[in-house]
């Protein structure tokens, strides 16, 4: 029996690069975001997680769904899947790694293997659309 982890992520691009975050103790970058709390909508989860990780405020009125992706969850037993609803959105504030984030980085397609498996399809789609270098 497989388990699915329900997540929401913020696809933030600047200059053809995608913002990535590496949590403390993790060996790969993730698209910023995280697990949905019970009863939360996609945008509530997105806003809370981005605020917790990067100390900025998402503008929900500007949020646009990019796609939803599913893959094997990195660092979890085989058969544990992660489903990630991805959104773009404007933000206010200064991007700063919170205490739970080891580092943030601007990723290109060349960094694909430095990201979690579910992020691979996102990077591939962004590159195919000409949005990611």
């Amino acid at each position: 029996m497989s388990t699915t982890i329900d997540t929401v992520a913020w696809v933030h691009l600047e200059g053809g690069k995608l913002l990535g975050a590496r949590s403390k103790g993790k060996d790969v970058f993730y698209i910023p975001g995280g697990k949905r709390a019970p009863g939360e909508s996609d945008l509530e989860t997105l806003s809370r997680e981005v605020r917790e990780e990067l100390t900025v405020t998402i503008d929900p009125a500007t949020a646009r769904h990019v796609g939803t992706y599913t893959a094997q969850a990195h660092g979890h037993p085989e058969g544990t899947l992660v489903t990630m609803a991805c959104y773009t959105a404007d933000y206010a504030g200064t991007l700063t790694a919170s205490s739970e984030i080891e580092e943030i980085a601007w990723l290109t397609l060349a960094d694909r293997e430095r990201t979690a498996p579910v992020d691979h399809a996102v990077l591939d789609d962004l590159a195919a659309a000409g949005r990611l270098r």
Side-chain angles (χ1 to χ4, degrees):
M1 182 175 135
S2 67
T3 302
T4 301
I5 302 167
D6 182 22
T7 67
V8 181
W10 183 40
V11 174
H12 181 62
L13 294 152
E14 284 189 14
K17 295 181 179 183
L18 175 66
L19 180 63
R22 187 173 60 79
S23 299
K24 291 189 175 177
K26 301 291 184 180
D27 61 349
V28 297
F29 284 90
Y30 296 84
I31 298 172
K35 295 177 193 165
R36 181 189 317 271
E40 276 186 330
S41 69
D42 282 5
L43 295 182
E44 289 168 337
T45 303
L46 183 71
S47 295
R48 177 182 52 77
E49 286 288 344
V50 170
R51 184 177 57 253
E52 288 174 2
E53 292 182 358
L54 301 171
T55 72
V56 297
T57 303
I58 293 293
D59 178 358
T62 65
R64 300 291 177 262
H65 186 249
V66 173
T68 299
Y69 301 85
T70 302
Q72 169 64 38
H74 179 75
H76 290 268
E78 189 64 34
T80 302
L81 302 176
V82 62
T83 296
M84 186 171 72
C86 296
Y87 291 85
T88 59
D90 294 340
Y91 72 98
T94 301
L95 292 169
T96 305
S98 71
S99 60
E100 67 185 60
I101 302 298
E102 185 73 32
E103 73 178 300
I104 57 176
W106 292 100
L107 308 171
T108 67
L109 188 58
D111 296 306
R112 185 179 185 274
E113 297 309 313
R114 297 174 57 206
T115 67
V118 72
D119 295 352
H120 294 178
V122 179
L123 271 74
D124 292 346
D125 283 357
L126 290 170
R131 298 181 66 200
L132 182 71
R133 292 196 269 161

